[in-house]
C-alpha cells in the first residue's frame, strides 16, 4: 500500500511505515537501552544518534513498526537492496517490552514478501548474533535457512567482547515454493 508516494506495509497486527520526527521518543526508548541493543552492532544511542537515525531513514527501505491496536511505534525494520545482484539484507529491532509476542515473525515475513513479490529480488539474507535466539527463530519461522556461522565476528559493544554471528538466507524460488 502507498500513501503520498510512501510505501506502507501491513500485517495482521502491524503497520510498517515511514519514520517521522514525532517518533523520536519511541525510537530512543529502545535505541538508548543497553538491554535492548546488547546484541546489535550499534548503540546504545545518544539523543543525537537517534535523531540522525530518524533523519537518515530511507522511504521504502527503513520502516517504523507501529502497533495497529494503539498506534504506538514499537520498533524498526528495514530491507536494504543490492541492485547489482538482485539481493537484499533485512533487519529489525523491537522494544524489549514487545519481544516474544510474534511481532518479529510478522514483520520479517512481510519484509520477505515485499522483497520477493514487489521488489522482484532473487535472494534475501539476514544476520544476527549467534546467541540471539529470538532473531534466529524469526528467520527460521520465515523459511530462511542457516548458511553460516562467523566465529567471533561481531563486537558486542555492551559486553565488550567478540561474539559469533550467523547468516541466514532464502531464495525467491524457496519463498514461492513455500507459498504453494
Amino acid at each position: 500500500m502507498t500513501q503520498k508516494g510512501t510505501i506502507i506495509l501491513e500485517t495482521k497486527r502491524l503497520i510498517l511505515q515511514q519514520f517521522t520526527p514525532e517518533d523520536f521518543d519511541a525510537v530512543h526508548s529502545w535505541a538508548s537501552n543497553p538491554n535492548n541493543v546488547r546484541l546489535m552492532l550499534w548503540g546504545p544511542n545518544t539523543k543525537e544518534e537517534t535523531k540522525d537515525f530518524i533523519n537518515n531513514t530511507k522511504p521504502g527501505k527503513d520502516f517504523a513498526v507501529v502497533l495497529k491496536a494503539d498506534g504506538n511505534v514499537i520498533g524498526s525494520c528495514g530491507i536494504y537492496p543490492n541492485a547489482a545482484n538482485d539481493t537484499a539484507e533485512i533487519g529489525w529491532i523491537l522494544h524489549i517490552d514487545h519481544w516474544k509476542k510474534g511481532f518479529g515473525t510478522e514483520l520479517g515475513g512481510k519484509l520477505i514478501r515485499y522483497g520477493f513479490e514487489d521488489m522482484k529480488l532473487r535472494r534475501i539474507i539476514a544476520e544476527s548474533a549467534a546467541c540471539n535466539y529470538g532473531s534466529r527463530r524469526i528467520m527460521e519461522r520465515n523459511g530462511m535457512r542457516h548458511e553460516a556461522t562467523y566465529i567471533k565476528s561481531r563486537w558486542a559493544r555492551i559486553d565488550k567482547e567478540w561474539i559469533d554471528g550467523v547468516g541466514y538466507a532464502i531464495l525467491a524460488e524457496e519463498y514461492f515454493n513455500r507459498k504453494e
Side-chain angles (χ1 to χ4, degrees), residues 28 32 34 45 47 51 56 78 81-82 89 91 93 102 106 128 141 154-155 176:
H28 199 62
S32 64
N45 281 8
K47 287 183 177 185
K51 285 179 192 172
N56 291 306
N82 179 339
E89 182 169 359
I93 184 167
E106 274 185 50
S128 78
R141 285 185 181 124
R154 298 171 68 96
W155 179 246
F176 288 110

Side-chain angles (χ1 to χ4, degrees), residues 17-29:
Q17 65 187 29
Q18 187 171 340
F19 282 94
T20 68
E22 291 76 30
D23 297 330
F24 174 82
D25 288 336
V27 174
H28 199 62
S29 73

Side-chain angles (χ1 to χ4, degrees), residues 38-118:
R38 173 162 264 109
L39 299 175
M40 302 303 286
L41 296 174
W42 53 268
N45 281 8
T46 63
K47 287 183 177 185
E48 195 59 39
E49 289 169 326
T50 299
K51 285 179 192 172
D52 287 346
F53 165 75
I54 292 170
N55 291 335
N56 291 306
T57 57
K58 301 196 177 21
K61 295 180 183 172
D62 296 299
F63 298 93
V65 179
V66 180
L67 281 175
K68 281 184 177 179
D70 60 17
N72 287 328
V73 176
I74 63 163
S76 68
C77 64
I79 184 164
Y80 309 100
N82 179 339
N85 61 11
D86 298 324
T87 65
E89 182 169 359
I90 59 174
W92 50 82
I93 184 167
L94 292 171
H95 191 286
I96 198 167
D97 292 346
H98 297 282
W99 290 359
K100 299 181 182 178
K101 297 179 182 180
F103 295 128
T105 299
E106 274 185 50
L107 69 87
K110 191 55 143 186
L111 290 174
I112 290 169
R113 188 215 57 76
Y114 173 58
F116 288 134
E117 295 184 20
D118 298 333

